[in-house]
PDB file of all heavy atoms in Angstrom:
ATOM      1  N   VAL A 184       9.623  24.610  18.967  1.00  0.00           N
ATOM      2  CA  VAL A 184      10.968  25.016  19.363  1.00  0.00           C
ATOM      3  C   VAL A 184      11.054  26.518  19.401  1.00  0.00           C
ATOM      4  O   VAL A 184      10.185  27.238  18.834  1.00  0.00           O
ATOM      5  CB  VAL A 184      12.056  24.475  18.392  1.00  0.00           C
ATOM      6  CG1 VAL A 184      12.072  22.960  18.407  1.00  0.00           C
ATOM      7  CG2 VAL A 184      11.784  24.988  16.977  1.00  0.00           C
ATOM      8  N   LEU A 185      12.108  27.022  20.021  1.00  0.00           N
ATOM      9  CA  LEU A 185      12.361  28.430  20.049  1.00  0.00           C
ATOM     10  C   LEU A 185      13.188  28.850  18.808  1.00  0.00           C
ATOM     11  O   LEU A 185      13.848  28.006  18.182  1.00  0.00           O
ATOM     12  CB  LEU A 185      13.124  28.835  21.297  1.00  0.00           C
ATOM     13  CG  LEU A 185      12.359  28.609  22.621  1.00  0.00           C
ATOM     14  CD1 LEU A 185      13.306  28.952  23.803  1.00  0.00           C
ATOM     15  CD2 LEU A 185      11.122  29.433  22.674  1.00  0.00           C
ATOM     16  N   THR A 186      13.133  30.097  18.490  1.00  0.00           N
ATOM     17  CA  THR A 186      13.918  30.629  17.367  1.00  0.00           C
ATOM     18  C   THR A 186      15.377  30.239  17.537  1.00  0.00           C
ATOM     19  O   THR A 186      15.938  30.326  18.628  1.00  0.00           O
ATOM     20  CB  THR A 186      13.820  32.148  17.341  1.00  0.00           C
ATOM     21  OG1 THR A 186      12.435  32.504  17.108  1.00  0.00           O
ATOM     22  CG2 THR A 186      14.669  32.729  16.226  1.00  0.00           C
ATOM     23  N   GLY A 187      15.945  29.727  16.447  1.00  0.00           N
ATOM     24  CA  GLY A 187      17.331  29.290  16.476  1.00  0.00           C
ATOM     25  C   GLY A 187      17.484  27.815  16.744  1.00  0.00           C
ATOM     26  O   GLY A 187      18.596  27.256  16.643  1.00  0.00           O
ATOM     27  N   GLY A 188      16.416  27.164  17.126  1.00  0.00           N
ATOM     28  CA  GLY A 188      16.478  25.747  17.445  1.00  0.00           C
ATOM     29  C   GLY A 188      16.481  24.861  16.202  1.00  0.00           C
ATOM     30  O   GLY A 188      16.470  25.340  15.084  1.00  0.00           O
ATOM     31  N   SER A 189      16.491  23.556  16.453  1.00  0.00           N
ATOM     32  CA  SER A 189      16.568  22.582  15.385  1.00  0.00           C
ATOM     33  C   SER A 189      15.522  21.505  15.553  1.00  0.00           C
ATOM     34  O   SER A 189      15.137  21.184  16.695  1.00  0.00           O
ATOM     35  CB  SER A 189      17.962  21.910  15.344  1.00  0.00           C
ATOM     36  OG  SER A 189      18.983  22.878  15.109  1.00  0.00           O
ATOM     37  N   LEU A 190      15.112  20.928  14.449  1.00  0.00           N
ATOM     38  CA  LEU A 190      14.235  19.763  14.455  1.00  0.00           C
ATOM     39  C   LEU A 190      14.647  18.896  13.270  1.00  0.00           C
ATOM     40  O   LEU A 190      15.149  19.399  12.263  1.00  0.00           O
ATOM     41  CB  LEU A 190      12.758  20.157  14.251  1.00  0.00           C
ATOM     42  CG  LEU A 190      12.027  20.746  15.482  1.00  0.00           C
ATOM     43  CD1 LEU A 190      10.647  21.217  15.027  1.00  0.00           C
ATOM     44  CD2 LEU A 190      11.879  19.714  16.583  1.00  0.00           C
ATOM     45  N   ARG A 191      14.415  17.600  13.402  1.00  0.00           N
ATOM     46  CA  ARG A 191      14.610  16.687  12.267  1.00  0.00           C
ATOM     47  C   ARG A 191      13.305  15.958  11.999  1.00  0.00           C
ATOM     48  O   ARG A 191      12.811  15.201  12.864  1.00  0.00           O
ATOM     49  CB  ARG A 191      15.708  15.669  12.524  1.00  0.00           C
ATOM     50  CG  ARG A 191      16.045  14.869  11.295  1.00  0.00           C
ATOM     51  CD  ARG A 191      17.215  13.913  11.484  1.00  0.00           C
ATOM     52  NE  ARG A 191      16.850  12.673  12.111  1.00  0.00           N
ATOM     53  CZ  ARG A 191      17.482  11.519  11.949  1.00  0.00           C
ATOM     54  NH1 ARG A 191      18.562  11.477  11.213  1.00  0.00           N
ATOM     55  NH2 ARG A 191      17.102  10.438  12.626  1.00  0.00           N
ATOM     56  N   LEU A 192      12.796  16.187  10.806  1.00  0.00           N
ATOM     57  CA  LEU A 192      11.599  15.495  10.371  1.00  0.00           C
ATOM     58  C   LEU A 192      11.954  14.213   9.644  1.00  0.00           C
ATOM     59  O   LEU A 192      12.967  14.144   8.987  1.00  0.00           O
ATOM     60  CB  LEU A 192      10.779  16.369   9.407  1.00  0.00           C
ATOM     61  CG  LEU A 192      10.411  17.770   9.928  1.00  0.00           C
ATOM     62  CD1 LEU A 192       9.526  18.453   8.896  1.00  0.00           C
ATOM     63  CD2 LEU A 192       9.727  17.706  11.294  1.00  0.00           C
ATOM     64  N   SER A 193      11.124  13.203   9.845  1.00  0.00           N
ATOM     65  CA  SER A 193      11.304  11.914   9.169  1.00  0.00           C
ATOM     66  C   SER A 193      10.085  11.596   8.394  1.00  0.00           C
ATOM     67  O   SER A 193       8.963  11.925   8.795  1.00  0.00           O
ATOM     68  CB  SER A 193      11.587  10.821  10.199  1.00  0.00           C
ATOM     69  OG  SER A 193      12.768  11.071  10.930  1.00  0.00           O
ATOM     70  N   CYS A 194      10.280  10.903   7.283  1.00  0.00           N
ATOM     71  CA  CYS A 194       9.156  10.426   6.451  1.00  0.00           C
ATOM     72  C   CYS A 194       9.437   8.979   6.121  1.00  0.00           C
ATOM     73  O   CYS A 194      10.370   8.662   5.358  1.00  0.00           O
ATOM     74  CB  CYS A 194       9.058  11.263   5.190  1.00  0.00           C
ATOM     75  SG  CYS A 194       7.860  10.647   4.015  1.00  0.00           S
ATOM     76  N   ALA A 195       8.634   8.121   6.707  1.00  0.00           N
ATOM     77  CA  ALA A 195       8.740   6.687   6.438  1.00  0.00           C
ATOM     78  C   ALA A 195       7.877   6.358   5.228  1.00  0.00           C
ATOM     79  O   ALA A 195       6.679   6.613   5.225  1.00  0.00           O
ATOM     80  CB  ALA A 195       8.308   5.883   7.662  1.00  0.00           C
ATOM     81  N   ALA A 196       8.532   5.781   4.200  1.00  0.00           N
ATOM     82  CA  ALA A 196       7.843   5.500   2.959  1.00  0.00           C
ATOM     83  C   ALA A 196       7.708   4.012   2.701  1.00  0.00           C
ATOM     84  O   ALA A 196       8.570   3.234   3.172  1.00  0.00           O
ATOM     85  CB  ALA A 196       8.574   6.151   1.806  1.00  0.00           C
ATOM     86  N   SER A 197       6.662   3.630   2.037  1.00  0.00           N
ATOM     87  CA  SER A 197       6.568   2.247   1.651  1.00  0.00           C
ATOM     88  C   SER A 197       7.716   1.908   0.665  1.00  0.00           C
ATOM     89  O   SER A 197       8.252   2.821   0.036  1.00  0.00           O
ATOM     90  CB  SER A 197       5.236   1.956   0.947  1.00  0.00           C
ATOM     91  OG  SER A 197       5.101   2.682  -0.215  1.00  0.00           O
ATOM     92  N   ARG A 198       8.117   0.672   0.616  1.00  0.00           N
ATOM     93  CA  ARG A 198       9.316   0.282  -0.154  1.00  0.00           C
ATOM     94  C   ARG A 198       9.180   0.664  -1.612  1.00  0.00           C
ATOM     95  O   ARG A 198      10.154   1.109  -2.226  1.00  0.00           O
ATOM     96  CB  ARG A 198       9.516  -1.222  -0.004  1.00  0.00           C
ATOM     97  CG  ARG A 198      10.807  -1.701  -0.589  1.00  0.00           C
ATOM     98  CD  ARG A 198      10.966  -3.193  -0.353  1.00  0.00           C
ATOM     99  NE  ARG A 198      12.211  -3.678  -0.866  1.00  0.00           N
ATOM    100  CZ  ARG A 198      12.551  -4.986  -0.858  1.00  0.00           C
ATOM    101  NH1 ARG A 198      11.743  -5.864  -0.359  1.00  0.00           N
ATOM    102  NH2 ARG A 198      13.696  -5.343  -1.372  1.00  0.00           N
ATOM    103  N   TYR A 199       7.998   0.547  -2.196  1.00  0.00           N
ATOM    104  CA  TYR A 199       7.806   0.886  -3.582  1.00  0.00           C
ATOM    105  C   TYR A 199       8.115   2.355  -3.840  1.00  0.00           C
ATOM    106  O   TYR A 199       8.784   2.694  -4.811  1.00  0.00           O
ATOM    107  CB  TYR A 199       6.366   0.547  -3.994  1.00  0.00           C
ATOM    108  CG  TYR A 199       5.999   1.120  -5.340  1.00  0.00           C
ATOM    109  CD1 TYR A 199       6.426   0.532  -6.497  1.00  0.00           C
ATOM    110  CD2 TYR A 199       5.218   2.261  -5.449  1.00  0.00           C
ATOM    111  CE1 TYR A 199       6.112   1.048  -7.745  1.00  0.00           C
ATOM    112  CE2 TYR A 199       4.880   2.801  -6.659  1.00  0.00           C
ATOM    113  CZ  TYR A 199       5.333   2.163  -7.829  1.00  0.00           C
ATOM    114  OH  TYR A 199       5.024   2.701  -9.014  1.00  0.00           O
ATOM    115  N   ILE A 200       7.618   3.213  -2.993  1.00  0.00           N
ATOM    116  CA  ILE A 200       7.842   4.626  -3.191  1.00  0.00           C
ATOM    117  C   ILE A 200       9.306   4.971  -3.005  1.00  0.00           C
ATOM    118  O   ILE A 200       9.883   5.709  -3.792  1.00  0.00           O
ATOM    119  CB  ILE A 200       7.019   5.442  -2.156  1.00  0.00           C
ATOM    120  CG1 ILE A 200       5.519   5.368  -2.525  1.00  0.00           C
ATOM    121  CG2 ILE A 200       7.468   6.890  -2.131  1.00  0.00           C
ATOM    122  CD1 ILE A 200       4.645   6.148  -1.552  1.00  0.00           C
ATOM    123  N   SER A 201       9.892   4.412  -1.998  1.00  0.00           N
ATOM    124  CA  SER A 201      11.272   4.785  -1.712  1.00  0.00           C
ATOM    125  C   SER A 201      12.244   4.431  -2.827  1.00  0.00           C
ATOM    126  O   SER A 201      13.180   5.133  -3.072  1.00  0.00           O
ATOM    127  CB  SER A 201      11.722   4.115  -0.422  1.00  0.00           C
ATOM    128  OG  SER A 201      13.051   4.454  -0.087  1.00  0.00           O
ATOM    129  N   ARG A 202      11.942   3.357  -3.528  1.00  0.00           N
ATOM    130  CA  ARG A 202      12.868   2.890  -4.561  1.00  0.00           C
ATOM    131  C   ARG A 202      12.853   3.751  -5.824  1.00  0.00           C
ATOM    132  O   ARG A 202      13.877   3.884  -6.491  1.00  0.00           O
ATOM    133  CB  ARG A 202      12.509   1.467  -4.949  1.00  0.00           C
ATOM    134  CG  ARG A 202      13.018   0.412  -4.053  1.00  0.00           C
ATOM    135  CD  ARG A 202      12.711  -0.955  -4.569  1.00  0.00           C
ATOM    136  NE  ARG A 202      13.425  -2.026  -3.912  1.00  0.00           N
ATOM    137  CZ  ARG A 202      13.301  -3.293  -4.228  1.00  0.00           C
ATOM    138  NH1 ARG A 202      12.524  -3.672  -5.173  1.00  0.00           N
ATOM    139  NH2 ARG A 202      13.968  -4.207  -3.570  1.00  0.00           N
ATOM    140  N   SER A 203      11.738   4.298  -6.160  1.00  0.00           N
ATOM    141  CA  SER A 203      11.596   4.850  -7.505  1.00  0.00           C
ATOM    142  C   SER A 203      11.199   6.274  -7.618  1.00  0.00           C
ATOM    143  O   SER A 203      11.078   6.810  -8.708  1.00  0.00           O
ATOM    144  CB  SER A 203      10.565   3.985  -8.280  1.00  0.00           C
ATOM    145  OG  SER A 203       9.343   3.949  -7.548  1.00  0.00           O
ATOM    146  N   ASN A 204      10.988   6.946  -6.520  1.00  0.00           N
ATOM    147  CA  ASN A 204      10.459   8.301  -6.569  1.00  0.00           C
ATOM    148  C   ASN A 204      11.433   9.357  -6.103  1.00  0.00           C
ATOM    149  O   ASN A 204      12.230   9.128  -5.181  1.00  0.00           O
ATOM    150  CB  ASN A 204       9.218   8.416  -5.687  1.00  0.00           C
ATOM    151  CG  ASN A 204       8.004   7.744  -6.295  1.00  0.00           C
ATOM    152  OD1 ASN A 204       7.129   8.391  -6.779  1.00  0.00           O
ATOM    153  ND2 ASN A 204       7.966   6.421  -6.244  1.00  0.00           N
ATOM    154  N   CYS A 205      11.323  10.553  -6.703  1.00  0.00           N
ATOM    155  CA  CYS A 205      11.816  11.756  -6.050  1.00  0.00           C
ATOM    156  C   CYS A 205      11.023  11.906  -4.766  1.00  0.00           C
ATOM    157  O   CYS A 205       9.839  11.576  -4.712  1.00  0.00           O
ATOM    158  CB  CYS A 205      11.539  12.986  -6.841  1.00  0.00           C
ATOM    159  SG  CYS A 205      12.610  13.282  -8.258  1.00  0.00           S
ATOM    160  N   MET A 206      11.678  12.432  -3.719  1.00  0.00           N
ATOM    161  CA  MET A 206      10.953  12.685  -2.476  1.00  0.00           C
ATOM    162  C   MET A 206      11.124  14.185  -2.169  1.00  0.00           C
ATOM    163  O   MET A 206      12.191  14.769  -2.391  1.00  0.00           O
ATOM    164  CB  MET A 206      11.547  11.887  -1.341  1.00  0.00           C
ATOM    165  CG  MET A 206      11.466  10.375  -1.556  1.00  0.00           C
ATOM    166  SD  MET A 206       9.766   9.759  -1.641  1.00  0.00           S
ATOM    167  CE  MET A 206       9.237  10.115   0.040  1.00  0.00           C
TER     168      MET A 206
END
Side-chain angles (χ1 to χ4, degrees):
V184 297
L185 296 176
T186 298
S189 298
L190 284 173
R191 188 176 81 154
L192 305 183
S193 298
C194 173
S197 63
R198 188 177 181 185
Y199 168 77
I200 289 180
S201 180
R202 279 184 167 181
S203 55
N204 286 256
C205 283
M206 301 295 295

